[in-house]
Amino acid sequence: MSNPPCRIAWSLRPSNLAPILALAIATAAACGRPAEPPREAAGAPAAAPEAGAAASPGEAPAATAAPAAPDAAAPDLANLLEAHAAMAAALYDGGKGAEAERVYRGLLEQAPDHVASLVGLSQILVDRGDLDGAGAAVDRALKANPQSAPALQQKVIVLIAGDHGKEAVAAAEGAVRAHPDSPALQAALGDAERAFGDVPKAIAAYRKASSLNPQWAPGFTKLGEALAENGDAAEAQKALQRALALNPESYPAYRALARLQYDNGAPSQAVTSWEAAVRLQPERGEAHEGLAAALLAAKRPADARTHAVTAQRLGRDVTGLMKQIDAASK
């Protein structure tokens, strides 16, 4: 079965075939499978999208299309860039940051000012600790489109990562003024207020984000995290359960719930939540580390060791945790 994020619907014309095939090769490499030229390129009729698969916005039956004007390639390439950027975002969300980075960098070779790719690359660089690179990428995105809501949100993320809480709050407030109906930017304001140390203001921003879109799971996840930080465990649990009801495959919500349960003396429940998080993203070292700590607290040191070793293999420093497991195993 093919990986859904790697399934791309194609629309080709001779004038944009070369860059599209270059992107196809980069995408196939990132997805870990051989590149296949689009069927239209070989003269075969276009394949119909599978049930439930989204087609590119500009897709049209190739067999009946009239010859394209020379400038008609631009919309096709723009649609393809967006489709690939969405695929890279899905790879990143699935814990495959290296694969996502390869796709983003391939896109930027074709379109150096592609905003979605710059924003996605910026987040990967934040995760790596390369804040200079992350800042440069998001600044390029904002230069290309100063009103881009995702780029404005990413700017706040970069400022928070650099411990520039006051500047992050100012940037988030400006973003909210530009896009007052954006739940993501309201949540970014909450993130900035929380980083600046004003948890009550963060909670208010997260509540606003959740009211703007009551079906948006991340808003409830962030609200739950802030409520937990503010000492309101019962309300935090309600918010996180709401997030999971909206999206049962939300890794951040399971992670937040597991931490809440662990901190409130319910290690067996935390084990269950961390196990769900590990199932969703088995290559996340922090999930294995959290599960190991919960298993140790639940008096299961042998199982804890297994996940601590996995966390270590995935790059986590679990030296202290391993010492605790060793002590509990004697």
Side-chain angles (χ1 to χ4, degrees):
M1 181 175 179
S2 62
N3 185 358
C6 297
R7 186 186 300 124
I8 300 296
W10 302 86
S11 179
L12 298 179
R13 296 189 175 96
S15 54
N16 71 351
L17 181 59
I20 284 177
L21 287 179
L23 288 172
I25 293 168
T27 299
C31 292
R33 56 184 170 80
E36 295 181 4
R39 293 178 64 189
E40 297 94 321
E50 296 183 25
S56 297
E59 185 177 355
T64 58
D71 62 350
D76 277 357
L77 184 55
N79 290 339
L80 184 65
L81 288 167
E82 293 307 313
H84 277 68
M87 184 208 74
L91 287 168
Y92 175 82
D93 289 342
K96 298 181 178 179
E99 292 90 334
E101 181 176 358
R102 284 199 291 271
V103 176
Y104 284 135
R105 290 193 183 278
L107 295 173
L108 290 169
E109 287 179 4
Q110 298 295 328
D113 294 324
H114 185 236
V115 171
S117 296
L118 288 166
V119 169
L121 178 60
S122 174
Q123 183 56 48
I124 290 170
L125 295 175
V126 167
D127 294 344
R128 188 180 299 158
D130 181 1
L131 299 185
D132 290 340
V138 75
D139 287 345
R140 276 174 57 193
L142 286 169
K143 184 177 180 180
N145 182 359
Q147 296 302 310
S148 165
L152 290 168
Q153 180 183 2
Q154 185 62 26
K155 181 66 175 181
V156 175
I157 291 171
V158 173
L159 288 169
I160 291 172
D163 292 327
H164 302 296
K166 186 176 181 179
E167 294 88 340
V169 170
E173 288 174 340
V176 167
R177 284 194 296 271
H179 301 276
D181 296 327
S182 168
L185 290 178
Q186 285 287 347
L189 176 58
D191 293 344
E193 294 286 11
R194 189 175 168 198
F196 195 49
D198 197 333
V199 178
K201 281 188 177 180
I203 291 172
Y206 294 141
R207 289 195 190 279
K208 175 68 172 177
S210 298
S211 69
L212 285 170
N213 185 354
Q215 303 303 310
W216 190 51
F220 288 98
T221 299
K222 291 175 178 291
L223 176 59
E225 290 173 328
L227 288 166
E229 186 176 342
N230 207 42
D232 194 343
E235 288 301 310
Q237 182 153 328
K238 288 180 183 177
L240 294 171
Q241 287 173 337
R242 172 66 174 161
L244 287 168
L246 291 168
N247 181 8
E249 297 188 352
S250 170
Y251 172 84
Y254 274 116
R255 177 183 59 191
L257 182 60
R259 289 172 173 169
L260 176 67
Q261 291 162 336
Y262 181 86
D263 290 343
N264 284 274
S268 295
Q269 294 178 22
V271 166
T272 300
S273 296
W274 275 123
E275 285 175 338
V278 166
R279 282 195 299 271
L280 288 170
Q281 296 200 13
E283 297 303 309
R284 291 267 185 173
E286 68 171 1
H288 288 278
E289 182 180 1
L291 178 53
L295 286 164
L296 179 61
K299 303 187 185 307
R300 295 169 56 185
D303 293 331
R305 185 184 303 279
T306 298
H307 288 281
V309 169
T310 302
Q312 189 173 47
R313 176 178 60 80
L314 294 171
R316 303 290 288 188
D317 182 359
V318 294
T319 304
L321 179 58
M322 289 296 285
K323 289 180 179 178
Q324 294 176 42
I325 293 171
D326 289 340
S329 301
K330 292 179 180 177

